[in-house]
Amino acid sequence: MHQATIDESVRAHVEQTLTEYLAAKQSTMASLTQELADALDALVEFILRGGKRIRPTFAWWGWRGAGGEPDAPAVLRAVSGLELIQACALVHDDLMDDSAVRRGSPTVHVTFGRLHQQQGWLGEPERFGMAAAILLGDIALAWADDMFYGSGVAAPRIAAASEPWQAMRSEMLAGQYLDILTQVQGDESPSAALRVARMKTAAYTVERPLQMGATLAGADTEVIERLREFGADIGVAFQLRDDLLGVFGDTEVTGKPAGDDLREGKRTLLVALGLQQAGEAGAAVIRHCLGRQDLTAQDIERTRSVLIESGAVDAVERRIEELTQTAMHALDSADLAEPAGDRLAELAVAATRRNH
């Protein structure tokens, strides 16, 4: 029977690698107390519940594009650690945004708040849920480092790849801070929205994973630079698509409530352009909805109409297309081992034209 290589099914191999690694971590830590075992079960279930595994996939094709071998389980373990950084970001992001649903299920802080309430424990359920989410997100981040540095990749390669790995963690957290700062300052400029997209999403979703994979393979500076250019533009385009889905996405497909970005008051490029282009009355409709937890279906539909009629949606779509084109140009100019170039082009299209 033919056994699929990593190249043929990166996502499936990442899933298997994560499942095995997390089972070992659970086994080690769960012996402390049953209560901790239950909490770790919830974290592991969250990590393994869906997800596109886009970050390790980009990292893998960075590795292959720079000449890395197609059979490299240690490298797969190293890049799979990116999913644990993503888990940390999602758990904390949901808490900061007070989101109730992620991937069609209750978010971590909501789950533990409900547990507190069901058990009749002392104190406030919401504060317990918040504390649990902070700590479990931190555990995911610690496990990410453990998985990367303990992957079995040769020490010189891990040392070289630690530069993008460490930069990515800092940029992701800095981007999260800029995101919440932009919301509380009410900064409605397109430049602020793009700055957040660049730091919060592009760097740690595409650019740094590609750099990390290529560095693990010993790529030269020119290849890494072209991959980073490609990754930066595709990463921003990925976030802009996410912004559109945050307002127009189908709940059944995205796994998040309709209009959730509006409730959270996110100053995305879509919102910034809508405020600029919608006129006084249209801008008033958008501002009325931003940050309101009691949004009705009618409120959301009115805002959607304003964003469409103002031309903001079309403008964001054009920006996505422009970024994709410049990214493809950078990719074409990179001297990559095949089939990495073709796979990265396919990933770019999937990332920027997705519906969830």
Side-chain angles (χ1 to χ4, degrees), residues 68-84:
E69 294 297 321
D71 182 19
V75 171
L76 186 71
R77 281 192 294 275
V79 302
S80 293
L82 290 163
E83 281 301 302
L84 302 181

Side-chain angles (χ1 to χ4, degrees), residues 10-22 48 76 80 147:
V10 179
R11 179 175 174 177
H13 281 83
V14 169
E15 292 281 352
Q16 183 62 33
T17 300
L18 284 170
T19 299
E20 293 171 359
Y21 182 79
L22 292 171
L48 297 178
L76 186 71
S80 293
M147 193 171 193

Side-chain angles (χ1 to χ4, degrees), residues 130-293:
M130 176 184 70
I134 291 170
L135 295 169
L136 289 171
D138 288 349
I139 287 174
L141 186 60
W143 285 357
D145 266 359
D146 293 348
M147 193 171 193
F148 176 70
Y149 287 107
S151 62
V153 173
R157 292 292 174 85
I158 282 290
S162 67
E163 187 273 325
W165 174 266
Q166 293 168 6
M168 174 187 55
R169 293 178 311 171
S170 297
E171 289 161 355
M172 181 267 289
L173 295 169
Q176 291 274 34
Y177 176 74
L178 287 178
D179 188 19
I180 61 171
L181 182 65
T182 299
Q183 291 181 53
V184 298
Q185 289 179 332
D187 192 335
E188 298 172 350
S189 65
S191 61
L194 286 170
R195 182 182 60 186
V196 170
R198 175 72 177 82
M199 286 198 66
K200 182 183 175 184
T201 301
Y204 101 102
T205 299
V206 188
E207 180 187 354
R208 292 299 192 183
L210 280 169
Q211 181 187 3
M212 177 182 146
T215 302
L216 285 169
D220 62 34
T221 303
E222 182 67 21
V223 168
I224 289 174
E225 285 304 310
R226 297 293 82 74
L227 286 174
R228 290 191 65 183
E229 289 174 13
F230 166 79
D233 284 350
I234 288 300
V236 173
F238 177 91
Q239 180 59 55
L240 298 185
R241 177 62 61 200
D242 205 52
D243 295 343
L244 286 168
L245 291 172
V247 176
F248 293 92
D250 183 345
T251 300
E252 294 298 318
V253 178
T254 64
K256 295 188 71 176
D260 218 28
D261 280 3
L262 297 175
R263 290 188 184 85
E264 293 165 10
K266 289 189 178 295
R267 266 65 177 182
T268 62
L269 181 64
L270 174 65
V271 167
L273 293 176
L275 290 170
Q276 274 191 352
Q277 300 172 189
E280 188 175 338
V285 170
I286 297 172
R287 289 196 178 96
H288 170 76
C289 291
L290 282 177
R292 291 178 62 99
Q293 295 298 313

Side-chain angles (χ1 to χ4, degrees), residues 333-349:
S333 66
D335 184 18
L336 300 181
E338 289 302 336
D342 290 342
R343 295 294 179 271
L344 287 172
E346 292 167 4
L347 284 170
V349 171

Side-chain angles (χ1 to χ4, degrees), residues 287-307:
R287 289 196 178 96
H288 170 76
C289 291
L290 282 177
R292 291 178 62 99
Q293 295 298 313
D294 58 349
L295 281 186
T296 65
Q298 184 179 18
D299 289 329
I300 295 170
E301 196 53 46
R302 286 178 63 208
T303 304
R304 287 172 171 172
S305 296
V306 169
L307 291 170

